[in-house]
Amino acid sequence: MRTIVDVVSESPVRTQTSAISTPVVRHDHPTPVLGSLGLFTVLLGAALPLIDFFIVNVALPTIDKDLAAGPALLELVVAGYGLAYAVLLVLGGRLGDMAGRRRLFLAGMTAFGLTSLACGLAPDAWTLVGARVAQGASAALMLPQVLATIQAATAGHRRARAMSLYGATAGLSMVAGQIVGGVLVAAAPLSSVFGESAGWRSVFLVNVPVVAVGLMLAARAVPETRSDRPAPVDVPGTLLLGASLMTLLAPLTEGRAAGWPAWTWISLALFPFAAFAFYRVEQRADRRGQIPLIPPSLLRLDSLRRGLALVLPFSLGFGGFMFVIAVSLQQGLQMGPAAAGLSLAPMAAAFFVASLAGPRLVRRFGTRVVTAGGLIQGVGVAVLALTVWSGWPDLGLLQLLPGVALAGFGQGLQLPVLFRIVLSDVPTERAGVGGGVMTTTQQAALTLGVATLGTLFLALVPGSGMRDALAVTLLVQLAAVALTVLLSLRLPRTVA
């Protein structure tokens, strides 16, 4: 009997020929199989980029102290990673379809490890910003291959289980990033080498051994897959998508810290024109029979379109919440980084429990699980806002526990199911593009959440105080939760 190792070393059989014919290679097992070890490995690759988006939130005060970064550069440490990540995700999915998803996964993970090392060794703030941009680009090569590999190398119940685990991994990673970051900053395991800067450097350097293990596992257990009819890179579409995201996200993330100079308003004014130009170029390419970066025909899939409509407000609220709560706990309540991170542990635990129960609940109740999750999350956010309003500044883990646990449980019922819905009808040959579209939407929304809710919160603090600023921000997030509940009523009742 052949083993998984035998199978994953082979490329899938080519059933079609092109103008330049190639020999047809036949194997006993013509389709790639993603085994348990391979699934664990790609989920590890999915966790790393999301952890690193949030892990720096609790490290920003020590980065500022050690490198004298200032508000604008600290914003760039967060935003530079998020912008590069969001802009290049769809391109990363397209390259995986062309060159092979396992190959791009290995290349992206290697680059992620090297850029993490560069972040951890950065001698000054500008070097750290540059390394973070490169780290975000590396993550954009790695992450789209995860969803595409799951789509191409699993089927039926195994695919549903893998997608649920992917959603659980994504949600847990976003919470775990701040928990792990807080523990590492406080523990400072490298203090004998780096002195006082050891804490924030640890949050980057910890990636290096994890990446080394991931590369060894990926070489052994992740199958190679690619599209049977890979499309060339859509250069105009890629440039216009990048321009659209940059003109929106860059001014929103940097505007407040920079004092809203003229370039921020000019950039925001250019955004609708860049977005419209991108849509028209993609539409024209689709009509000509070409394969654009984001095919409008793909967006006509009802499940993908309606699922993305929920991923957007969900991720926007989540990204903003995680940034605001990190600042509030450390600067408002004077918690240390470890205590601030561990205050979110109930959210992670509740999310994990809900994500495990999700698949069974979906089989019984369909997508109404998403609606129920939104309602539970809304109750959690409302409880947390009431707790902040009535208990500030005497808040600790026990006081915050009911609100964050309820919010985490509701999120755990939503996110894994939404990911399954978005990709349920995407053809296998477009798995890379579909995964890239979904992760780009998620990442852009997370970055937008940090920019908008973070800017609102920081703008309110000087005049209203930390308590009122946090309470108002939580109420704005509650409005985003209410929107997801309403949109969930339009989802298909069943999940493929």
Side-chain angles (χ1 to χ4, degrees), residues 88-183:
L88 297 174
L89 271 167
V90 178
L91 178 60
R94 174 65 60 86
L95 292 175
D97 288 348
M98 293 173 58
R101 292 152 188 154
R102 177 178 177 271
R103 181 180 298 175
L104 264 292
F105 181 81
L106 290 169
M109 181 171 276
T110 300
F112 191 84
L114 293 174
T115 52
S116 297
L117 181 64
C119 289
L121 300 178
D124 54 63
W126 277 110
T127 303
L128 178 59
V129 169
R132 282 285 284 174
V133 171
Q135 190 187 34
S138 302
L141 285 181
M142 176 171 59
L143 186 63
Q145 318 317 325
V146 175
L147 284 169
T149 299
I150 290 173
Q151 287 287 94
T154 61
H157 175 70
R158 293 181 64 251
R159 179 181 294 176
R161 175 177 172 271
M163 288 303 302
S164 295
L165 289 173
Y166 176 86
T169 300
L172 284 172
S173 299
M174 291 187 283
V175 181
Q178 292 192 191
I179 298 174
V180 173
V183 172

Side-chain angles (χ1 to χ4, degrees), residues 444-487:
L446 289 172
T447 306
L448 189 61
V450 173
T452 53
L453 294 184
T455 296
L456 171 66
F457 170 76
L458 295 173
L460 290 173
V461 168
S464 304
M466 192 77 71
R467 182 197 72 167
D468 292 359
L470 178 57
V472 169
T473 307
L474 288 172
L475 292 177
V476 174
Q477 187 197 1
L478 186 60
V481 174
L483 178 60
T484 64
V485 171
L486 292 175
L487 290 174

Side-chain angles (χ1 to χ4, degrees), residues 314 354 367-380 406-415 481 484-485 488:
F314 179 94
T367 58
R368 290 298 172 259
V369 172
V370 177
T371 306
L375 292 172
I376 295 171
Q377 183 191 2
V379 171
L406 280 171
F409 191 85
Q411 291 163 347
L413 291 178
Q414 294 175 82
L415 195 60
V481 174
T484 64
V485 171
S488 71

Side-chain angles (χ1 to χ4, degrees), residues 170-382:
L172 284 172
S173 299
M174 291 187 283
V175 181
Q178 292 192 191
I179 298 174
V180 173
V183 172
L184 287 173
V185 170
L190 303 173
S191 57
S192 61
V193 179
F194 294 105
E196 293 184 0
S197 68
W200 72 262
R201 295 183 188 276
S202 295
V203 304
F204 300 114
L205 295 176
V206 72
N207 291 332
V208 177
V210 176
V211 164
V213 172
L215 288 172
M216 288 188 292
L217 294 176
R220 176 180 177 84
V222 176
E224 181 64 283
T225 64
R226 56 169 54 86
S227 175
D228 290 334
R229 296 180 297 277
V233 173
D234 177 10
V235 176
T238 301
L239 293 176
L240 286 170
L241 176 63
S244 301
L245 292 175
M246 288 288 290
T247 52
L248 174 64
L249 297 178
L252 290 177
T253 53
E254 280 297 296
R256 185 199 60 84
W260 297 105
W263 72 264
T264 59
W265 300 107
I266 294 172
S267 181
L268 287 172
L270 290 174
F271 164 69
F273 297 99
F276 180 73
F278 170 70
Y279 173 76
R280 290 304 301 268
V281 165
E282 299 297 273
Q283 186 182 54
R284 189 177 299 116
D286 211 14
R287 288 174 177 172
R288 292 175 178 173
Q290 301 169 345
I291 303 180
L293 190 69
I294 300 181
S297 57
L298 194 66
L299 297 177
R300 286 197 292 270
L301 292 175
D302 193 55
S303 56
L304 184 140
R305 188 177 63 255
R306 295 189 180 188
L308 288 180
L310 270 80
V311 170
L312 184 61
F314 179 94
S315 300
L316 190 151
F318 193 93
F321 169 80
M322 296 301 286
F323 175 79
V324 167
I325 200 70
V327 175
S328 299
L329 295 181
Q330 290 190 86
Q331 296 184 9
L333 297 179
Q334 302 300 313
M335 289 186 180
L342 291 174
S343 295
L344 298 176
M347 176 178 282
F351 188 103
F352 180 69
V353 171
S355 63
L356 290 180
R360 184 171 63 254
L361 293 173
V362 168
R363 286 195 295 271
R364 183 172 180 181
F365 300 107
T367 58
R368 290 298 172 259
V369 172
V370 177
T371 306
L375 292 172
I376 295 171
Q377 183 191 2
V379 171
V381 174

